[in-house]
Amino acid sequence: MTLPAFRVLQPRTVEDAVRMLDEHRSDAMVIAGGTDVIPNLQMRLFTPRVLVDVKPLRELAVIEFSARQGLHIGATATLTHILETPWMRDKFAVLASAIGTVAGPLQRNMGTIGGNLCLETRCRWYNQSHFWRQSLGGCLKKDGDICHVAPGGKFCWAAWSGDSAPAFLALDAELEIASLSGTRRVPLREFYKNDGMDRIALARNELLTAVHVPAHMAGRRGVYQKLRVRDSIDYPLAGVAVAMEVDSAGICKDARVALSAVNPAPMLVTQAGESLIGRKWSLELAERVAHAAIQTGKPLTTSGSTPVYRRDMVRVFTRRALEETWKNGHGSA
Ligand SMILES: Cc1cc2nc3c(=O)[nH]c(=O)nc-3n(C[C@H](O)[C@H](O)[C@H](O)COP(=O)(O)OP(=O)(O)OC[C@H]3O[C@@H](n4cnc5c(N)ncnc54)[C@H](O)[C@@H]3O)c2cc1C
């Protein structure tokens, strides 16, 4: 599979980059590590005339933590750089756990956090060569008018298949987004649109510049559990992130549970916090939250595994992640 023709523009600053995006709008795409963009270009999933290469923008590669400002990770920081930051595992256990499961070492060396948070949604009917897709007449997301996952409908169910987003959701993260008109901050939970075709609230002339986690989230216990075909490299078929604060008596003071790969968006299990706060660990309570998780996740035939199995694994992972985090103090600082 060969690449289509395109021009690569190399901005020197963020201002340069947003000016280029503004100038070329729908003809342009951002490329960072390229680990998702390049295979998708080879499959002809999109054919931009211009790629704006932001990876060399060193100003966006900064990783910082302070007790006042919290965690700041610039969009072009690589996943390996994040994992190798000495205090990351202690302060943001769920994030280190999730990022450690992304792809394999080569993709983590190249791949950036900005690219991970802006991934394309994935579906077995979409992530295929042009030749393969053409034989079926395309699909709603590309070159067709039918959804092969839910043939009667007009909604695209392609799944959000990134691993860091649920961890950041569990940490109440915010994104920093730049455009010609300045910078805006948006809570991560408002960034994902739960629509396989129109996945994120980011205009074509905007650039994700950083992700922030509030300081009070530092030191939370947490873990990410993931289902995939090959543990060495694959995208998630289901993922569960848990982050919680537990006091010395073992009582949960605050908690978030978030899911990946079972909806067109990564999602918080909204009932989880209410059920857990003020409670001590019990298997019955964990089962109740696991039940809420499977009501939030709606896996369909978007990937190689069956919806029933993935749904069941969301239940198992939620229970296990709560047990590891709470009972065994996994990820405690
Ligand atoms: C074999 C293989 C396995 C993989 N497995 C996983 C996995 O298990 N889990 C997982 O999460 N990912 C997986 N990936 C995808 C990928 O490696 C990572 O998600 C990586 O972090 C993407 O970052 P990138 O910099 O390479 O993104 P790119 O490919 O450069 O970009 C990805 C998307 O984000 C957009 N983008 C990038 N940066 C910005 C920005 N600053 N502002 C606005 N838009 C931006 C691009 O336009 C594009 O749409 C896998 C990839 C491969 C090839």
Side-chain angles (χ1 to χ4, degrees), residues 30 32-37 103 112 115-116 118 162-163 208 226 233-235:
V30 175
T35 59
D36 194 54
V37 167
T112 65
N116 195 260
C118 296
D163 291 305
L208 172 63
K226 169 172 174 176
I233 194 161
D234 279 319
Y235 285 89

Side-chain angles (χ1 to χ4, degrees), residues 245-290:
E245 189 185 344
V246 179
D247 73 8
S248 53
I251 294 171
C252 172
K253 308 301 285 178
D254 195 16
R256 311 265 186 291
V257 176
L259 310 181
S260 191
V262 285
N263 293 300
M267 276 195 183
L268 279 166
V269 179
T270 46
Q271 306 96 310
E274 299 153 28
S275 311
L276 293 167
I277 294 169
R279 309 292 300 274
K280 278 197 163 193
W281 158 261
S282 79
L283 191 56
E284 188 213 340
L285 177 59
E287 289 288 5
R288 212 176 321 138
V289 175

Side-chain angles (χ1 to χ4, degrees), residues 119-134:
L119 277 181
E120 258 301 324
T121 50
R122 295 180 66 79
C123 178
R124 66 194 301 198
W125 309 98
Y126 173 69
N127 294 93
Q128 302 287 352
S129 67
H130 179 64
F131 176 75
W132 192 103
R133 285 181 284 111
Q134 226 182 2

Side-chain angles (χ1 to χ4, degrees), residues 155-157 191-196 198-200 263-267:
F155 184 78
C156 172
W157 291 97
F191 184 63
Y192 296 110
K193 297 165 89 173
N194 203 29
D195 177 343
D198 186 16
R199 67 202 193 287
I200 51 177
N263 293 300
M267 276 195 183

Side-chain angles (χ1 to χ4, degrees), residues 46-294:
F46 17 76
T47 46
R49 288 172 193 222
V50 168
L51 290 182
V52 178
D53 176 12
V54 297
K55 185 84 180 286
L57 294 177
R58 300 300 305 160
E59 63 190 291
L60 295 187
V62 175
I63 301 176
E64 282 172 338
F65 174 77
S66 81
R68 263 170 63 93
Q69 308 285 342
L71 176 65
H72 165 111
I73 306 182
T76 64
T78 65
L79 303 180
T80 299
H81 183 191
I82 297 169
L83 283 177
E84 290 180 351
T85 299
W87 39 263
M88 194 61 76
R89 207 163 287 274
D90 278 348
K91 286 195 168 21
F92 300 100
V94 66
L95 185 61
S97 171
I99 291 178
T101 71
V102 173
L106 294 179
Q107 291 80 15
R108 291 197 295 271
N109 288 345
M110 289 292 291
T112 65
I113 200 65
N116 195 260
L117 289 169
C118 296
L119 277 181
E120 258 301 324
T121 50
R122 295 180 66 79
C123 178
R124 66 194 301 198
W125 309 98
Y126 173 69
N127 294 93
Q128 302 287 352
S129 67
H130 179 64
F131 176 75
W132 192 103
R133 285 181 284 111
Q134 226 182 2
S135 68
L136 279 184
C139 72
L140 276 188
K141 193 165 159 77
K142 182 72 185 156
D143 299 335
D145 56 6
I146 183 172
C147 172
H148 300 287
V149 171
K154 287 289 168 206
F155 184 78
C156 172
W157 291 97
W160 176 261
S161 304
D163 291 305
S164 75
F168 278 120
L169 279 177
L171 293 169
D172 278 355
E174 274 193 358
L175 299 180
E176 187 186 287
I177 291 169
S179 69
L180 276 186
S181 40
T183 302
R184 66 182 175 105
R185 295 262 288 232
V186 58
L188 188 63
R189 63 182 174 280
E190 291 171 18
F191 184 63
Y192 296 110
K193 297 165 89 173
N194 203 29
D195 177 343
M197 285 210 278
D198 186 16
R199 67 202 193 287
I200 51 177
L202 189 76
R204 295 301 290 248
N205 62 345
E206 290 185 313
L207 182 71
L208 172 63
T209 48
V211 52
H212 293 269
V213 175
H216 69 267
M217 287 289 174
R220 293 219 164 180
R221 300 174 181 194
V223 75
Y224 178 69
Q225 302 237 340
K226 169 172 174 176
L227 177 69
R228 50 180 162 173
V229 176
R230 297 163 297 181
D231 269 347
S232 54
I233 194 161
D234 279 319
Y235 285 89
L237 300 172
V240 178
V242 167
M244 58 166 46
E245 189 185 344
V246 179
D247 73 8
S248 53
I251 294 171
C252 172
K253 308 301 285 178
D254 195 16
R256 311 265 186 291
V257 176
L259 310 181
S260 191
V262 285
N263 293 300
M267 276 195 183
L268 279 166
V269 179
T270 46
Q271 306 96 310
E274 299 153 28
S275 311
L276 293 167
I277 294 169
R279 309 292 300 274
K280 278 197 163 193
W281 158 261
S282 79
L283 191 56
E284 188 213 340
L285 177 59
E287 289 288 5
R288 212 176 321 138
V289 175
H291 186 70
I294 60 173

